[in-house]
Every structure is written in C-alpha cells, then in structure tokens.
Amino acid sequence: MIQQSVSGSGAAKRPDILIAAPRRQPVILETEFDPAHTVDLDATARLGKSLHETGEDIEGVLSVVLPKNLKTADLETIDGATFRYATHYLDSQGESVRWPVGKEWLKGGVDDLADAVEYLSLSERQLARGTAVLEQVVRNAARLLGQHAGEDALGKIASDLHQEAGEQTERMAAAIFVSAFAFHVAIEEQENIPPVALAGSIDKGRLLATWNAILEVNYWPIFSVARDLLMELPVKAVPPVMNRIAESISDLAQLGATTYHDLTGRMFQTLITDRKFLATFYTLPESACLLAELAVERLDVDWSDKDAIEGLRIADFACGTGALLSAAQRAVYRRYRRAGGNDKDLHQALMERVLTGLDIMPAATHLTCSMLSSAHPSLGYGKSRIHTMPYGIDGGRTHIGALDLLDSEHSYSLFAAGESMGGTESDSRREHSVTIEDRSCDLVIMNPPFTRPTNHEGSHAEIPIPSFAGFNTPDSEQKVMSRMLRKCKSEFGHGNAGLASNFMDLGHRKLKDGGVLAFVLPFSLTQGHGWNKARKALAKNYSDIHILSIAATGMTDRAFSADTDMAECLVVASKRSGGEARFTNLSYRPSALLESALTAKEAGRGSPNASAIHRTFGGTLLDPRGEGVLSESVGNVARALCRGELALPLSLAEVVRGF
C-alpha cells in the first residue's frame, strides 16, 4: 500500500487506500461506513485522474462499504467481516463503467476484495491497445511472409502446422514468430540468453543461431516450432519478415505483451479463424475465466497445501490455444497466493504434472504451452503434458485425436510440447506415448468441437463426415474414423448431438469420483432431442449440476465462444450421484475478466439470486425450468404450455420482475 496524492480537478489530495504493484495499474479503494451515501461518487471521481508522483492514470477504483461494527474492530474481526463493494473502471474505449450495474452491490470478505483489486490492476484500455497493435504486427508479418516466402516454403510450413496453405496458415506462422520474439524479450535478462535481435541486423543464420542458443538453455515449447518454421523459409524471405517483427517489439513490450500473458492470450484468440469443417471455435477469455473460476472453486483441496495442489490433475482434451487451461492455471495460482503462498513455487509442477492439454493442431499446442509458460517465463521445467495428437490413418493405424483415449488409457503424440527442454531435436521428434489413466483427473475443462460425426446437414452435402474432414482427410479415411468412433463405448455420445457429446464421454471416463466436469456446450443440451442421452447420463452420474446461459436475443449474444453464432451454455457438475440441477441465466455475457471472476463468485454460491446480474432457479436436468430466461414466472408459463396447460402468474408484476 502506497500513499500518494492524486492530480486532477475535483480530486481529493489523498485516496483512502492506494495499491500499486510492479507492472500493474494502480488501484484505489474508497471506503465509507454504512450507509455510505457518497462512496460511489468518491470512487467515480478518481477515474481518469493521475498519481502526482508517477503520472500513472487511475483506471480502476473499488468502492467499499464498511460494516459499522468495524469502527472498533480488531484484525481478527476484519478478516471475518462481510463488505459490500462495487468496481469502477475505464473500459477499452475509456468510458467509465460501474460493475455491478445500477445500484447493485457485491458482498464478500477480504479475499474477495483482494481478487477485485487484482483484476482492476489489469487495464482494459491497455489490453485493447496492446491487442490491436499485436494483431496488426501479425497481419503485417503474415502479408510479408506471403509475398516473400514462395509457394514451396509456404507449402512446407502448412505441412508442418497440419493446415492447408493460405492466409490462415500464414497468419498462424506469423503469430508463432511474434510469440517467440515477445517471449524472448521476457527472458532476455536471464543467464545465457542471447540478446533480442534488432531490426536491420536479422538474417536467417543469425536468428537460427540465437534461437538454438536459447534451446540449449531451455524454453523448447516456445522456440522449437518457431525455429522449425524459420528453417523452411528461403534466406531472402527472412529479413523483411523478421525485421518488421523486431521493429515492433519495443512497442509491444511497452504495452505489456511480454509481461501480461492475459494480453498475449487475447491477441491469439483473434488471430485464428475457425478450422475448416472442424468447428473448433475458441473460447473467449472472459468466458474461459468464468468457467474456470466456477470449476476450480469446487476442487476439494487445501489451497495452503503446496503438495496437495501439485497432486491435482487438470485436463483439456481439445485445448485450442489454451484459454481454458490458462484460466484454470490463473485460478489455482490466485488461490495459493490468497493462502499465503508464492505461485512461482507451483509453476514447475503445474507445467510438468498438473496441466494436460491435447489437440490435433501443432500450432494450437505450441500456443497453449506458450500461454502457460508465460505465467512465469523465467522459470524452466522439464517435459510438459501438452501433446499434439495424431489424426487420420497413419502407418496402418486409425486415429481420431484425443478421442483415441475413449478406447484406451494410452495413445500417441506426434509432438509433446516441452518434451525436449534441454534435450536434442531427435528426442523431440520421436513418437511419444500419452497416458491418461481412467478416473485420474480432478477437473476436466473443455470447449469441445460441436460438429456432428454423421452428415445430417444439407450445407455439407459434399462432405461425407464433416467432423473428420480436416487436413483434407480422404472420404475413405473419414468413414473409417467414423466407424472407429461408433465402436467406442458411449454413455453420453449421440450422433445427432455431435462430437461434443463424445468428448463428454471422454471427460467422464477420465474424471475421478468427486471430480469436476466443466464444459462449454450448445444450449440445445438443455432440451434438444439429440442431447437426451447426455442429459440422462449427467443426471445419473453427477450432482450439483450448474448450467449457465445468457438470457438475450439472437444466437451471437448467447454464445460463450468466439464466432460460433450459436447459443451456448456453461455446464459445471460434480461426479457423484444426485442429479439435482440449478440454472443461472446471465443478463449478458461478461465483457471483462473482472466481471467474469466476480460473476463466478456470485453465481457459484448456490443460493437463488435476483440481482441485475443474473437469475438462478432450481430444478432437475430432466425437467428443466427457466433456462434461458430472467423471469421464473415466464419459465413456469412456458413449461405449462408444453404440457398443454395455461397457468398464468398471479400478477403481471411476476412476469416483468427482473427484466
């Protein structure tokens, strides 16, 4: 805590509490004893002002209502106190936002206030500026790559990334190069790490020597793929592409791209278009935070016990760019910090043993490992559990990605990110075994692909098996892969529900009793006919089933993923019999990490809530009530109509209450 004066007309000279941390935005707390008539006004007045000593802008303020009994309280009383609080921050456009909206207040203890301060210290404006700059750098580099590399080199790069040649692959290759440069800046001061190459001095030989020197030290998952792509480029193509990236590195560093992995993660979410026919859409960072916070909060672990945390097993079998795993990692680290620990002490164990990520795209697993490593870039680790899974028919074997594990506890990895940290290239390229024992995971968190394994969609009439059509898979292989999937024992999976239901089977199989299942799924899970099998399996095997949806109009506004244009829901459940369910309907999708984290706290507490943020109703999964609406009365009327009954509420007020 630092006391500084605040510059700007109308601002009191000293805030009640000022919290400043290295490489974070300062946060002010304005406090007032209940009934606290002016604390919100005091907080709002701070936004946009600057600290007199440092010139830093104030972009986040917490207004806190203190209970009256704290006027004479000791520290023990403060630690157990319940506060009312609200957050005030400048959004990406510089507009003042109060959350929760209106005159609503959040309630919580000291740890809740600390979490709010931590999120407020991550500037939304800085994130927006950094994301725009990073995206433009990647687009420029991709354009230069397309102009100078030549068809032969671009074809080899596409083959290395298991993608089709084209703009998407050029952008992905450019993103990997930018990721390597940004990560290099973050570790440049470490022992035996060569300096970052400067614009104007880059050629292929020097850059290869630099990245090879880094690989001699560590950081294999970040630089090995980048180095391999670099080797595919002709000598003449390297200077224009890499000099452009190097020119931007200092600007990116100032914007936080080399220290805030939240920023880098958001950038990567915008770069990759949906994978053709695979429908693997990427989870929005805000949605990932919301789901991870709800899921990690359920884990039965003493957050002060380092050994217990390192004994956890958290898996995502369709990890994409790592949004969900990264959000789960942050949720674990934050809880350990609140319990008095230093999350640096957990990093090696989480990277080597706790976190498992599987995907069929080499670029996806590279970015996932980069995201997870960036939490503490200066800390090394050995072999990670982030794997690229085989897909299609190779050497007489049929592979369906992570779904191979439905039939066995063992599969194979084309490339294990981090396998050869400190090792040799031959070590990294040999075929590796992936072992994930049944009933071994404490948390399975996923946003699985939604495509159907059989073609019921007229729009894909020319594609026999849409979900297995990636990588230009021949029709004959698609049919073999589909038959292989049908042979797998299934409790949740149904052809009309699509691959997401098969991934539920995989998650269920690998989850231990008492473990937590956390999925992003189509909203049709709640009532769709094709999802009836999955609903029955959830009700049979799980308890405290919590389904969150967005009570909005239009498909896009009801989605938790980027670019899906379809209604989705978040499902969190504990693996034990019970079957009870509750439905939380959000007024809107959270638009900031802060909102996501605090919404998770409110929605996860379990009691029915009638705030402006959301509505929570009880019910059962097989007889849902009120999903997707903000008024319980509207839900009850709709259910009665489905039974052929007209059961209007007692008053009009019951219908409109809460809208």
Side-chain angles (χ1 to χ4, degrees):
M1 182 176 69
I2 305 171
Q3 284 287 350
Q4 294 190 49
S5 59
V6 178
S7 302
S9 60
K13 288 299 180 183
R14 290 190 181 277
D16 290 340
I17 300 172
L18 172 65
I19 299 175
R23 299 184 298 277
R24 290 277 180 170
Q25 290 290 316
V27 177
I28 285 176
L29 277 73
E30 289 295 336
T31 63
E32 191 174 327
F33 283 102
D34 198 16
H37 295 301
T38 63
V39 69
D40 256 2
L41 292 175
D42 293 342
T44 303
R46 298 291 187 187
L47 290 174
K49 304 301 188 293
S50 59
L51 298 181
H52 180 72
E53 285 82 352
T54 66
E56 293 176 284
D57 291 338
I58 300 299
E59 299 187 26
V61 183
L62 202 62
S63 56
V64 183
V65 179
L66 307 176
K68 292 180 180 178
N69 66 340
L70 289 188
K71 291 183 178 180
T72 58
D74 55 24
L75 289 177
E76 184 176 342
T77 304
I78 293 173
D79 189 54
T82 298
F83 304 89
R84 286 189 293 139
Y85 65 100
T87 64
H88 306 259
Y89 63 93
L90 298 180
D91 65 13
S92 60
Q93 305 301 315
E95 298 294 326
S96 174
V97 175
R98 182 191 191 273
W99 199 87
V101 296
K103 297 185 181 298
E104 295 281 333
W105 292 91
L106 300 167
K107 293 182 180 180
V110 173
D111 283 350
D112 296 303
L113 298 182
D115 285 344
V117 168
E118 185 170 332
Y119 278 103
L120 283 172
S121 69
L122 187 63
S123 163
E124 290 294 323
R125 288 199 299 175
Q126 186 175 13
L127 283 168
R129 289 194 297 267
T131 299
V133 171
L134 284 165
E135 183 175 351
Q136 191 58 50
V137 170
V138 171
R139 289 185 182 277
N140 290 341
R143 193 174 300 114
L144 290 168
L145 191 65
Q147 292 173 359
H148 295 280
E151 291 186 9
D152 184 57
L154 292 175
K156 291 177 181 178
I157 287 174
S159 178
D160 287 347
L161 295 178
H162 291 186
Q163 297 182 195
E164 297 178 9
E167 182 182 6
Q168 175 177 305
T169 297
E170 291 163 13
R171 284 193 292 141
M172 177 56 71
I176 290 171
F177 290 142
V178 172
S179 170
F181 269 86
F183 203 91
H184 192 175
V185 172
I187 64 173
E188 186 178 23
E189 297 180 0
Q190 302 302 316
E191 186 177 359
N192 296 324
I193 297 295
V196 177
L198 300 176
S201 65
I202 300 177
D203 61 39
K204 184 173 181 177
R206 288 196 187 97
L207 190 55
L208 280 174
T210 297
W211 287 353
N212 281 327
I214 296 174
L215 290 171
E216 287 291 324
V217 177
N218 211 317
Y219 307 109
W220 197 271
I222 288 83
F223 291 95
S224 62
V225 175
R227 190 271 310 270
D228 291 347
L229 298 183
L230 176 62
M231 291 177 66
E232 304 287 12
L233 293 178
V235 171
K236 64 181 179 62
V238 173
V241 175
M242 300 305 172
N243 281 322
R244 176 58 62 88
I245 294 174
E247 287 172 1
S248 307
I249 283 299
S250 60
D251 292 337
L252 300 179
Q254 290 178 2
L255 289 168
T258 61
T259 54
Y260 297 132
H261 78 293
D262 288 334
L263 172 63
T264 308
R266 285 193 179 193
M267 182 271 289
F268 284 129
Q269 299 297 314
T270 67
L271 291 180
I272 312 167
T273 60
D274 55 293
R275 302 174 191 168
K276 190 176 182 181
F277 307 127
L278 293 177
T280 306
F281 299 97
Y282 294 96
T283 317
L284 292 166
E286 297 82 7
S287 303
C289 176
L290 175 57
L291 183 59
E293 287 293 331
L294 287 166
V296 171
E297 183 61 25
R298 291 193 181 205
L299 293 176
D300 185 15
V301 62
D302 179 356
W303 293 111
S304 66
D305 187 339
K306 179 173 175 288
D307 292 338
I309 297 172
E310 292 179 352
L312 292 172
R313 296 295 179 265
I314 299 172
D316 183 346
F317 302 125
C319 63
T321 54
L324 287 169
L325 275 183
S326 185
Q329 178 195 46
R330 291 194 301 270
V332 169
Y333 284 170
R334 184 164 51 255
R335 283 160 175 78
Y336 187 56
R337 290 197 300 272
R338 296 291 174 267
N342 185 337
D343 54 89
K344 283 187 175 182
D345 299 335
L346 294 176
H347 188 66
Q348 181 176 355
L350 259 75
M351 294 302 301
E352 293 180 353
R353 301 192 298 276
V354 176
L355 300 173
T356 296
L358 309 180
D359 204 280
I360 61 174
M361 304 289 282
T365 52
H366 163 84
L367 295 177
T368 293
C369 219
S370 297
M371 286 271 290
L372 298 174
S373 301
S374 295
H376 293 290
S378 63
L379 300 181
Y381 54 88
K383 181 172 64 175
S384 80
R385 293 178 58 82
I386 310 301
H387 294 272
T388 303
M389 303 299 291
Y391 177 88
I393 298 178
D394 181 34
R397 295 175 177 170
T398 301
H399 298 286
I400 51 177
L403 293 176
D404 283 353
L405 294 165
L406 278 171
D407 195 42
S408 173
E409 294 185 342
H410 311 283
S411 187
Y412 297 93
S413 170
L414 296 178
F415 176 65
E419 176 73 18
S420 294
M421 270 192 162
T424 65
E425 182 178 7
S426 61
D427 290 333
S428 73
R429 294 306 181 189
R430 68 177 185 268
E431 190 174 63
H432 304 285
S433 174
V434 178
T435 299
I436 302 174
E437 297 175 354
D438 293 347
R439 299 177 181 269
S440 64
C441 296
D442 297 274
L443 167 61
V444 174
I445 183 167
M446 297 176 62
N447 185 354
F450 291 167
T451 38
R452 294 175 176 176
T454 54
N455 183 25
H456 297 287
E457 305 294 342
S459 61
H460 295 302
E462 75 282 7
I463 303 168
I465 318 293
S467 57
F468 294 134
F471 307 159
N472 291 319
T473 308
D475 294 356
S476 58
E477 290 191 19
Q478 294 178 41
K479 293 175 181 177
V480 173
M481 294 164 73
S482 184
R483 286 197 297 269
M484 179 179 175
L485 180 61
R486 287 197 298 269
K487 289 179 181 178
C488 296
K489 183 179 179 181
S490 173
E491 194 168 349
F492 291 77
H494 190 283
N496 289 338
L499 285 183
S501 62
N502 301 111
F503 275 96
M504 291 183 75
D505 272 312
L506 180 58
H508 175 66
R509 176 167 178 163
K510 301 304 177 184
L511 199 63
K512 65 174 56 173
D513 293 340
V516 179
L517 192 74
F519 270 63
V520 183
L521 292 171
F523 184 71
S524 53
L525 166 77
T526 61
Q527 290 186 345
H529 179 72
W531 285 94
N532 189 48
K533 183 178 179 181
R535 284 196 298 273
K536 289 181 177 179
L538 269 176
K540 174 184 175 183
N541 297 290
Y542 289 81
S543 67
D544 193 13
I545 303 164
H546 193 181
I547 297 179
L548 290 86
S549 59
I550 304 169
T553 58
M555 294 299 187
T556 300
D557 289 340
R558 298 170 65 195
F560 289 99
S561 305
D563 306 320
T564 57
D565 293 328
M566 67 181 297
E568 295 173 313
C569 61
L570 305 182
V571 179
V572 186
S574 300
K575 190 177 181 182
R576 59 175 69 92
S577 60
E580 67 276 8
R582 54 194 168 104
F583 300 86
T584 294
N585 304 317
L586 307 181
S587 302
Y588 52 87
R589 183 179 60 235
S591 59
L593 297 178
L594 166 70
E595 292 183 14
S596 296
L598 299 184
T599 296
K601 285 181 179 290
E602 290 291 298
R605 283 176 173 144
S607 57
N609 185 288
S611 74
I613 304 170
H614 60 79
R615 299 290 185 272
T616 297
F617 309 121
T620 69
L621 192 59
L622 301 182
D623 184 23
R625 52 181 294 191
E627 66 280 4
V629 300
L630 290 180
S631 167
E632 186 172 15
S633 294
V634 171
N636 290 337
V637 170
R639 290 176 62 225
L641 287 174
C642 291
R643 299 191 301 267
E645 302 172 3
L646 180 62
L648 295 176
L650 297 178
S651 68
L652 181 61
E654 290 187 52
V655 178
V656 301
R657 185 180 297 130
F659 282 94

